[in-house]
Each structure stands twice: as structure tokens, then as C-alpha cells.
Amino acid sequence: MSEIFATTGTIAAIATAVVPQQGSVGIVRVSGSQAIHIAQTLFCAPGHQVWESHRILYGYIRHPQTQQLVDEALLLIMKAPRSYTREDVVEFQCHGGIMVVQEVLQLCLENGARLAQPGEFTLRAFLNGRLDLTQAESIADLVGARSPQAAQTALAGLQGKLASPIRQLRAIALDILAEIEARIDFEEDLAPLDDKVIISEIERVSAEISQILATADKGELLRTGLKVAIVGRPNVGKSSLLNAWSRSDRAIVTDLPGTTRDVVESQLVVGGIPVQVLDTAGIRETQDQVEKIGVERSRRAASAADLVLLTIDATAGWTALDQEIYSQVQHRPLILVINKVDLASPEKVQYPTSINHIVQTAAAQNQGIDALETAILEQVKSGKVQAADLDLAINQRQAAALIKAKTSLEQVQLTIAQQLPLDFWTIDLRDAIHALGEITGEEVTESVLDRIFSKFCIGK
């Protein structure tokens, strides 16, 4: 049995990010049968404060043997089952930083707790019926959300907007299975099975699965974001474009070609989608060893990007070097950015007719950024990934299970069409039911849980 399934005993972990000299509050969370005892051992609440559930106590954390003061803190008590894990839970709310929370955690470990595995608090919440598997995954998505839209989608999942339709579809499939098995066991006592009704119900379930599957690309985009590389020859305004877009001075801007020697990164949000923008070194042949390394990194960044912004200089027009760079990136989704249009007419620039998406900018004057973002969102839509809000967005694991369920339902329809015995109908129908159960956790293996919760941070 994997480590993450060692869910016995009382666990403890630091539940907040530990940032040297920056965190104002640090929380140590303890869950399990010994949580209250550990709190009573370490925490001194002066006066006549009542130790009852969902009450915050003020006091001091002391070493139980030496009585040395560790911190002045608050203690939050949440008794089972009214807690995140449905176990007794206490939280020591200490002063932030590194030393205090580490010392409090160590005292918890010395007095009956063990260090929690990654995601073990949420795993216990799932195993104790507090959450289903889609809600648990939504918590991880919420913690890692990189845009407001990603956070809202995660919250929708946490509220059960994915689990609810999946359970309904599974219930319909179970009803179909019951009807078929009843005819197998009591064929002489029941009316003949109506094949058309069964097929109609299966088609309805399959169609709804397809609608949910359509959110897979959207979900992946919200979670991982879009990687955009700004490429072009030196001194066309790539760094100015990044600075204007990010409203910062991330990249050095001079009139000297070759100023950017490495890939400069900036994190943005465009239409609710996280965007990682890479300002690359100008691509050209050079004898400068440092610049040569930067050029090679630029080529690698362009080849790995989801979208390339090929930037050219309106004052110079389309040059032989622009053509050479284009030949290297034309296989990628691409937008041509004609920069410096405040200095020259963009209509005179002759570019290849194979380029369909063109944006005009004057980055140094902060012009054209809105048009650029609109063009990027249009590229996203052209990939059949809608940028509009969705109530839910599934992840790769959920998508794989839905594909398995849909394939099994299609096989049931084929089995019916071939007029095979009813026993054959149930085989693939059971597979579909199992696949749908994997999504919510009603039918799930140890390896699946291990894979899901091992990606969580410790303390969640």
C-alpha cells in the first residue's frame, strides 16, 4: 500500500506558505484523534476560555517539558464531524516566518502527530465522505489558479457542478443495466425489452458526455495557460512590446541591436486565460558567444510556444532575415506583429500571403496592445477552445474516464445492432458505469488516488 494511503493516526503540517520575513501569519494544522490532546498539551489559554468546537482561543504555545515560551498565538478548534477532514482538527495560528511555525510543527510531531503526506488532509476529507473526487481536484485547481476565470471554474467544481451531472448520467446507466438484468433473470415474467427505448437512453447519456468532454481543452488552457513567444530579428521592438503589454520594464530597451541576450518572461492574463509571454533574443547570425546562446534559446522557445508573435519593423519592411525567421516558425500558430507603425506606413510592408493574422503596433507609444490581445483570443477560438466563461472545465483524468465511458456506450449500441444476447449488452454497460464512477470517486483504485493526491502541497 502506498504511503499516501497510510491515513491512520494524527497528522500535522504547515498549512500556509513559509516566506522568510514576509509572512504575517503561519498556520500549523493538526487532524486526527489526538489533535485536541496535542493542543491541550502545547497551548495555554489564560483566564476562563472555553475549549469548545468552532471557538478561537487566545494564548501561548509552550514547550511541554521546559515550559519555554514558543509563541503568542491563536488556537482554532474544530471537532468532528464539523471540520474539513471530518476528524478533530486544530489550527495553531502563529506569527509568520520560518522559525516559529517550524518549531510548533516539531512540537506537534514530538507529542503524537506525524508529518502529513502531500494532500493527506484532503484525502481524508474524501475518504470520510466530506468531498467527492471532483471536489478534491477542484481544491487543487483553486490553489493553483493563475487567473480569476480559472479560480471561478475551480469554485464551480468545488460546488459540485461537475459531480452532479456525472452522477445523474451514471444513475441513468444503472437504471438501464437494471432493466436489462431483470430481463435476463426474469425473462418469462416481464414484458420484452424495448430496444428503441434503451438505445434512445444510451444516446442521451452519450450526447451529454460529449458536451462535458467539450470543456476539456478549455480546462487545460485555464490550468496550464498559453505560452506566447515574441520572436524576430534584433531591434524590431520585441522588448518594447513586452514592456508595453505587461506595463512594466521587464526587458531592457535600447537602440542597439542584440541588447536582449536571453529569454525574458512575463506572466499576464488575457481574456481570463493565463499567458506566459517570452521575449526572446533577436534571431540572427552572430560571432558573440553570449548572444549566440541567446539566439539558440530563442529558437527553442519559439518551437515550444503555443503561439508565436513574429515581430517586424515597419520602417524596414519585410527583410531577408524576417523571411528566414518566418521559415523557422511558420509551422507554429502565428500572428505577424508589424511594429513601429507610428514611424512608417504599414501598408507598404510586403509580407507572405500565407500569413493570415496581422496586428499593427507602436509599442514604444503603447499603441495596438488591445488589438494584439483580441487577435490572440481569436487564435484561441480558432483552435475550438472557447474563451467565454464555462460552468465547469474537466481535467485530463476526467476526460480520459469520459472517453472510456462514451466508447463503452457506443459498443453497447453496436452490440444491440448485432442482435447479440442481453448478457453481452451488460459487459460494456458496466464498463461505462465504472468509468463514470471513477470521476466522482464512487469507483476508484488506490493508484488513481495516489496519483491525484501526490500532486497536492503538504498541508492541504
Side-chain angles (χ1 to χ4, degrees):
M1 184 171 286
S2 62
E3 267 191 301
I4 200 166
F5 270 76
T7 54
T8 58
T10 300
I11 56 175
I14 298 171
T16 48
V18 178
V19 182
Q21 301 177 344
Q22 292 187 27
S24 59
V25 177
I27 296 176
V28 177
R29 178 178 294 155
V30 185
S31 178
S33 59
Q34 294 297 308
I36 303 295
H37 173 71
I38 291 171
Q40 292 172 335
T41 301
L42 303 180
F43 194 83
C44 175
H48 302 286
Q49 301 180 64
V50 181
W51 286 65
E52 63 183 15
S53 186
H54 292 77
R55 179 181 289 270
I56 296 178
L57 306 181
Y58 160 78
Y60 304 91
I61 301 172
R62 294 184 182 274
H63 193 289
Q65 279 75 48
T66 66
Q67 292 301 301
Q68 179 180 348
L69 180 65
V70 176
D71 193 19
E72 179 182 19
L74 299 176
L75 178 71
L76 174 60
I77 304 169
M78 293 169 283
K79 292 184 179 180
R82 296 172 59 210
S83 72
Y84 181 65
T85 60
R86 283 195 172 167
E87 302 174 330
D88 287 343
V89 173
V90 297
E91 290 184 353
F92 297 93
Q93 301 189 4
C94 316
H95 288 92
I98 293 179
M99 297 310 301
V100 171
V101 289
Q102 291 284 4
E103 192 170 352
V104 173
L105 174 61
Q106 186 59 38
L107 286 175
C108 292
L109 300 180
E110 291 174 0
N111 286 274
R114 65 170 173 81
L115 186 64
Q117 297 294 323
E120 189 170 356
F121 289 94
T122 304
L123 175 60
R124 290 189 175 197
F126 165 70
L127 294 176
N128 292 330
R130 171 73 172 75
L131 304 168
D132 66 41
L133 207 50
T134 65
Q135 291 173 310
E137 289 176 299
S138 294
I139 289 172
D141 290 339
L142 184 59
V143 171
R146 296 167 56 192
S147 72
Q149 190 174 348
Q152 286 299 314
T153 303
L155 281 171
L158 186 55
Q159 293 167 357
K161 289 190 176 180
L162 173 59
S164 179
I166 294 298
R167 287 199 183 97
Q168 290 175 3
L169 295 176
R170 188 169 183 268
I172 294 172
L174 283 168
D175 289 342
I176 296 171
L177 179 63
E179 286 287 325
I180 297 172
E181 290 186 331
R183 296 313 189 281
I184 295 174
D185 296 334
F186 307 103
E187 182 178 6
E188 295 179 356
D189 302 326
L190 297 174
L193 198 64
D194 190 334
D195 294 4
K196 292 182 179 179
V197 172
I198 296 296
I199 292 172
S200 176
E201 287 291 281
I202 290 175
E203 287 177 344
R204 181 161 70 94
V205 173
S206 185
E208 292 190 33
I209 288 175
S210 296
Q211 289 182 353
I212 299 174
L213 271 171
T215 71
D217 288 340
K218 172 65 173 178
E220 187 65 17
L221 191 62
L222 288 175
R223 292 179 186 93
T224 64
L226 194 68
K227 185 178 289 186
V228 177
I230 306 174
V231 303
R233 58 187 177 82
N235 211 32
V236 295
K238 298 184 300 297
S239 296
S240 295
L241 183 61
L242 173 64
N243 290 342
W245 196 3
S246 61
R247 297 174 178 84
S248 68
D249 294 324
R250 296 295 302 274
I252 299 172
V253 179
T254 72
D255 292 330
L256 299 175
T259 302
T260 302
R261 298 298 184 95
D262 204 348
V263 177
V264 179
E265 179 182 327
S266 188
Q267 300 290 339
L268 305 174
V269 176
V270 177
I273 299 171
V275 177
Q276 178 187 15
V277 185
L278 306 174
D279 171 28
T280 65
I283 298 176
R284 65 173 179 176
E285 295 300 323
T286 177
Q287 299 303 313
D288 186 310
Q289 290 301 313
V290 176
E291 186 179 357
K292 187 177 291 186
I293 294 172
V295 169
E296 181 55 35
R297 289 181 178 177
S298 297
R299 290 193 173 102
R300 289 201 300 268
S303 63
D306 300 308
L307 177 64
V308 172
L309 304 183
L310 175 56
T311 308
I312 66 172
D313 183 347
T315 62
W318 185 268
T319 69
L321 186 51
D322 294 325
Q323 180 62 42
E324 182 181 341
I325 297 170
Y326 174 61
S327 67
Q328 297 172 23
V329 299
Q330 61 181 338
H331 62 288
R332 309 296 302 167
L334 181 143
I335 296 175
L336 176 63
V337 179
I338 305 177
N339 193 33
K340 304 184 183 180
V341 296
D342 56 322
L343 303 177
S345 174
E347 284 73 19
K348 296 181 179 179
V349 177
Q350 301 296 319
Y351 50 82
T353 56
S354 54
I355 299 178
N356 298 318
H357 303 278
I358 301 95
V359 173
Q360 300 173 13
T361 64
Q365 309 300 323
N366 293 320
Q367 296 176 10
I369 303 303
D370 290 343
L372 176 61
E373 292 189 347
T374 299
I376 290 173
L377 291 177
E378 287 175 353
Q379 283 280 68
V380 171
K381 290 180 181 179
S382 69
K384 298 182 180 179
V385 181
Q386 299 299 318
D389 291 336
L390 291 177
D391 287 338
L392 57 92
I394 61 175
N395 60 31
Q396 289 181 338
R397 183 194 73 85
Q398 296 159 355
L402 284 170
I403 291 171
K404 181 180 177 182
K406 191 171 187 297
T407 301
S408 297
L409 291 174
E410 290 170 349
Q411 187 60 43
V412 175
Q413 292 175 277
L414 181 61
T415 300
I416 295 173
Q418 293 175 341
Q419 298 183 335
L420 294 175
L422 294 180
D423 300 73
F424 288 85
W425 298 18
T426 65
I427 296 172
D428 293 302
L429 190 54
R430 288 181 184 278
D431 287 342
I433 292 168
H434 181 82
L436 293 172
E438 283 184 348
I439 297 173
T440 57
E442 292 166 280
E443 297 190 46
V444 67
T445 63
E446 178 179 317
S447 61
V448 170
L449 290 182
D450 201 350
R451 186 167 67 250
I452 291 171
F453 289 99
S454 64
K455 297 176 183 178
F456 278 61
C457 59
I458 293 176
K460 194 60 182 172

